[in-house]
Amino acid sequence: QVQLVESGGGLVQAGGSLRLSCTASGTTYGSSFDDFAAAWFRQTPGKEREGVSCISKYGDVVDYIDPVEGRFTISRDNAKLYLQMNHLKPEDTAIYYCAVRKSVYCLGSSPSDFSIWGQGTQVTVSS
């Protein structure tokens, strides 16, 4: 089974930056992390988990939700997924999760379409 472990979260002041990492290991039916589309989600208490950004298997197609467009950058390389977060705002405070969708392209950002998840990393942005 592919396993995902996030890191890089923490406490930062508004306007600051963080870089989240997600390290993958293992295989699922002979396929590894590098064979699938991957995404970052975030969740705050009492709210549904929302997709933040997604990247295709080959990294040629990326998507962002409007609130992070221009501030966040998703990338991937050799069984790792990254999220560079700049100009952070208090409303970016959440637990951030990486996830894998068993397809080449993202094809939407519904959490139910992603079958493998990490445990999450807390990002807190102070005002």
Side-chain angles (χ1 to χ4, degrees):
Q1 175 76 309
V2 172
Q3 295 182 323
L4 306 174
V5 178
E6 300 95 336
S7 60
L11 173 64
V12 64
Q13 288 188 331
S17 298
L18 283 174
R19 189 192 195 205
L20 304 184
S21 298
C22 175
T23 301
S25 61
T27 61
T28 297
Y29 299 114
S31 296
S32 69
F33 172 83
D34 292 338
D35 294 316
F36 303 126
W40 288 98
F41 286 78
R42 65 186 181 186
Q43 189 170 24
T44 54
K47 292 188 177 181
E48 293 186 355
R49 193 169 296 189
E50 69 169 348
V52 174
S53 182
C54 192
I55 187 168
S56 62
K57 169 185 175 179
Y58 299 108
D60 56 332
V61 180
V62 297
D63 297 308
Y64 301 94
I65 55 173
D66 287 345
V68 309
E69 182 81 52
R71 300 188 297 120
F72 290 10
T73 303
I74 192 171
S75 62
R76 64 188 303 167
D77 180 46
N78 194 24
K80 288 185 181 290
L81 182 70
Y82 302 100
L83 187 67
Q84 178 66 45
M85 305 187 295
N86 298 327
H87 306 293
L88 282 161
K89 303 176 181 180
E91 51 264 43
D92 294 319
T93 296
I95 299 175
Y96 283 72
Y97 300 88
C98 64
V100 163
R101 176 181 181 136
K102 294 179 183 176
S103 62
V104 172
Y105 294 101
C106 296
L107 305 175
S109 60
S110 172
S112 62
D113 292 328
F114 290 76
S115 56
I116 303 172
W117 294 83
Q119 84 289 347
T121 185
Q122 176 71 48
V123 171
T124 303
V125 184
S126 63
S127 57

